Amino acid sequence: MTYFLSTPIYYVNSTPHIGHAYTTCAADILVRHMAQRGEETFFLTGVDEHATKVFRVAEELGLAPQAYTDQIVGAWRDLPARLNAKPDFFIRTSDEGHKVFVREFLQKIYDNGDVYEDVYSGLYCVGCEEFKTEDSLVDGKCPIHDRVPEQIEEKNYFFRLSAYQDRLLAYYDAHPDWVLPDFRFNEARSFIAGGLQDFSISRAGQPWGIPLPWDESQVAYVWADALINYLSALTYARPGEDLRDTFWPGARHLMAKDIIRFHCVYWPAMLMAAGYELPQQIFVHGYLLLDDKKISKSLGNVVDPLDLIDIYGADPVRYWCARAVTFGQDGSASIDGIRERYERELGNDLGNLLSRTTAMIAKYLGGAIGPKEGVTGTNTTLANEVAVMRDGVLADLDRFDITSAVDKIWLVVRALNRYVTESAPWEMAKDETKAAALEGVLYDLADGLRLVAVALAAYLPETAPKILTALGQSDDLSFDRVAYGQLVAATGIEGAAPLFPRLETPDA
Ligand SMILES: [Zn+2]
């Protein structure tokens, strides 16, 4: 089985913010981890260009929509790069390959009899890019965007979503893990159980979008176009190859909760209508809310939270994203929290542990460490802690729980720190009769750091190899190496430079 993970494609009506970074970070952590487990992975991200709001922004700027999106797409391509995320493909919905596939896909649904024509009159919120019912408005306004929706009356093509209610419910009931976390599964299922209305898959009178193959006077509604990217990308991401057979069976979608309905209701029904299997799983995460006051207070001129990457580096931001808030839940995180975690956890717990361990190996063992019969690899307590962590991390990340997994790895980091304090190698070094025991302790510390580096590699892709190099270990990141007692002999170990150097005060 392959592992294909997508982020949503992001609207390009403005530049990226921390919310987009959050999803992209999480996706990259999951994909890197699965690659460590030997899975064949594919990571897809990109941008949604055909929204009405994108068209409007371009208009306001006096640009043709394509010229506008060509200009702003750079900032979106930079997002994964700045986070040290490595997507296999970055899709744009204006790609020729996407347009061709969308037309084929919609034609299939049309040919299968699931599309009909009707005049629609309704209230459309451009912010949401969807029609609103009267009773979803507050004081006549969309409660999400605080604006009065536009009255639209036009001829549209409709998708018979209502015809899929029973099939969707049956699918949900047969696949209780299809949407995670559980409360999101229940939310989506009860939406379906509450009755489904057909939805318009086209827009008239808008020149920006993909023309419908059977009526070129209409363009595909932005969601009917956007959702299909998860399949279309596989048809042209690698020139000359169709990756659908390889990766679609392993498809998983990751997204924030605001677009759950499109992914958990509309998309599976569209796939059924077009004759595709549904993706393996969908994970819906909450919002990483920032305390705005603290942004200005502690970071002065930092306006764009992505500037955090320039201050702390990509690894600490990735780590903070995973740890600050339980993935899946909403939570608020303070900007000060990242500094705290940088100094206390990354700097002290992990960085100092490496500096001290390597310095002691240099000083007490002449820089040489390695397995020695009867002396090393005998710490059953540590071996057990590692085994528990390893099993826990595998189970957590199978369920997208990047927070719980890193918490478990950190328990081992803390255990190693306690082990240093309790065994006090600097005392042992004064007593010649304890030479073998000292070597055993330093072996355990080096081995612990080695396996922690491998376990953390998905979160800290820049830092993990530095730890392995400092300990003279191979840079092989296979997750099998997260096991006690695999440290190999190394010489020439020197006290390592700080992994996370102290920062100048950012608001200075
Ligand atoms: Zn709205």
Side-chain angles (χ1 to χ4, degrees), residues 72-372:
I72 202 166
V73 76
W76 291 92
R77 283 192 192 279
D78 283 349
L79 175 71
R82 287 174 76 184
L83 291 164
N84 203 2
K86 296 258 188 301
D88 291 284
F89 191 62
F90 183 96
I91 189 172
R92 298 182 60 179
T93 53
S94 63
D95 290 344
E96 207 45 47
H98 175 72
K99 292 182 194 168
V100 168
F101 187 83
V102 166
R103 284 161 62 92
E104 279 172 22
F105 187 99
L106 293 176
Q107 184 72 51
K108 235 180 233 169
I109 294 180
Y110 184 82
D111 293 343
N112 290 345
D114 283 318
V115 173
Y116 63 94
E117 192 182 332
D118 203 354
V119 172
Y120 194 83
S121 132
L123 298 164
Y124 192 80
C125 174
V126 174
C128 295
E129 296 287 5
E130 69 174 330
F131 283 103
K132 294 282 168 185
T133 56
E134 292 277 1
D135 57 6
S136 71
L137 303 178
V138 176
D139 297 329
K141 291 177 176 175
C142 164
I144 301 166
H145 295 95
D146 193 36
R147 69 160 118 186
V148 180
E150 297 166 28
Q151 180 71 44
I152 289 181
E153 183 173 320
E154 59 184 35
K155 184 185 87 173
N156 278 172
Y157 291 94
F158 283 77
F159 172 62
R160 277 184 222 284
L161 182 64
S162 56
Y164 286 86
Q165 180 172 2
D166 292 343
R167 284 178 65 185
L168 285 171
L169 284 177
Y171 195 87
Y172 269 75
D173 292 342
H175 303 85
D177 279 339
W178 193 59
V179 176
L180 292 174
D182 297 343
F183 68 99
R184 296 294 177 199
F185 177 96
N186 295 334
E187 184 183 330
R189 195 194 176 283
S190 45
F191 181 81
I192 300 164
L196 296 177
Q197 287 182 355
D198 297 345
F199 71 96
S200 160
I201 54 161
S202 71
R203 297 298 313 275
Q206 182 181 299
W208 181 232
I210 303 176
L212 296 181
W214 63 88
D215 179 353
E216 303 236 334
S217 73
Q218 304 240 346
V219 296
Y221 164 56
V222 64
W223 276 104
D225 159 349
L227 289 164
I228 299 170
N229 93 88
Y230 302 131
L231 268 171
S232 73
L234 297 179
T235 64
Y236 69 96
R238 287 184 200 151
E241 280 185 75
D242 188 335
L243 302 175
R244 279 178 292 177
D245 286 349
T246 308
F247 288 112
W248 187 248
R252 280 119 176 134
H253 304 318
L254 185 66
M255 79 217 57
K257 62 181 185 175
D258 54 335
I259 48 179
I260 179 174
R261 202 140 40 85
F262 296 105
H263 285 84
C264 299
V265 184
Y266 291 21
W267 179 227
M270 287 167 67
L271 285 166
M272 287 172 174
Y276 280 94
E277 293 294 320
L278 303 194
Q280 275 290 315
Q281 229 165 14
I282 294 179
F283 188 91
V284 185
H285 67 76
Y287 293 146
L288 175 67
L289 303 167
L290 293 179
D291 183 337
D292 288 335
K293 278 177 208 140
K294 286 193 176 161
I295 292 177
S296 52
K297 192 185 82 186
S298 59
L299 292 170
N301 56 0
V302 174
V303 179
D304 177 358
L306 288 176
D307 289 346
L308 290 170
I309 298 165
D310 296 333
I311 299 172
Y312 295 100
D315 274 9
V317 169
R318 295 166 63 99
Y319 174 79
W320 171 72
C321 276
R323 242 193 144 185
V325 163
T326 301
F327 196 56
Q329 312 287 326
D330 277 339
S332 84
S334 80
I335 290 287
D336 290 340
I338 187 172
R339 190 182 179 94
E340 232 175 273
R341 289 191 190 275
Y342 180 92
E343 289 176 350
R344 188 163 42 87
E345 296 177 354
L346 295 173
N348 286 338
D349 293 354
L350 185 62
N352 271 350
L353 181 64
L354 178 70
S355 300
R356 295 170 83 186
T357 301
T358 49
M360 289 190 288
I361 293 170
K363 188 172 175 189
Y364 304 138
L365 304 178
I369 191 91
K372 220 170 251 180

Side-chain angles (χ1 to χ4, degrees), residues 357 361 365-378 435-447 450 471-473 484-493:
T357 301
I361 293 170
L365 304 178
I369 191 91
K372 220 170 251 180
E373 188 69 36
V375 174
T376 61
T378 56
L438 171 64
E439 196 166 350
V441 169
L442 293 178
Y443 176 93
D444 284 346
L445 292 173
D447 188 53
R450 174 199 60 79
L471 296 166
Q473 302 299 303
Y484 174 74
Q486 291 190 8
L487 190 83
V488 297
T491 52
I493 294 174

Side-chain angles (χ1 to χ4, degrees), residues 390-418:
R390 180 199 146 83
D391 292 349
V393 168
L394 293 174
D396 284 340
L397 293 179
D398 276 340
R399 294 180 66 84
F400 303 76
D401 194 343
I402 59 171
T403 309
S404 179
V406 74
D407 287 350
K408 289 185 171 86
I409 300 170
W410 222 258
L411 290 178
V412 172
V413 173
R414 296 219 164 106
L416 293 169
N417 277 290
R418 273 199 312 278

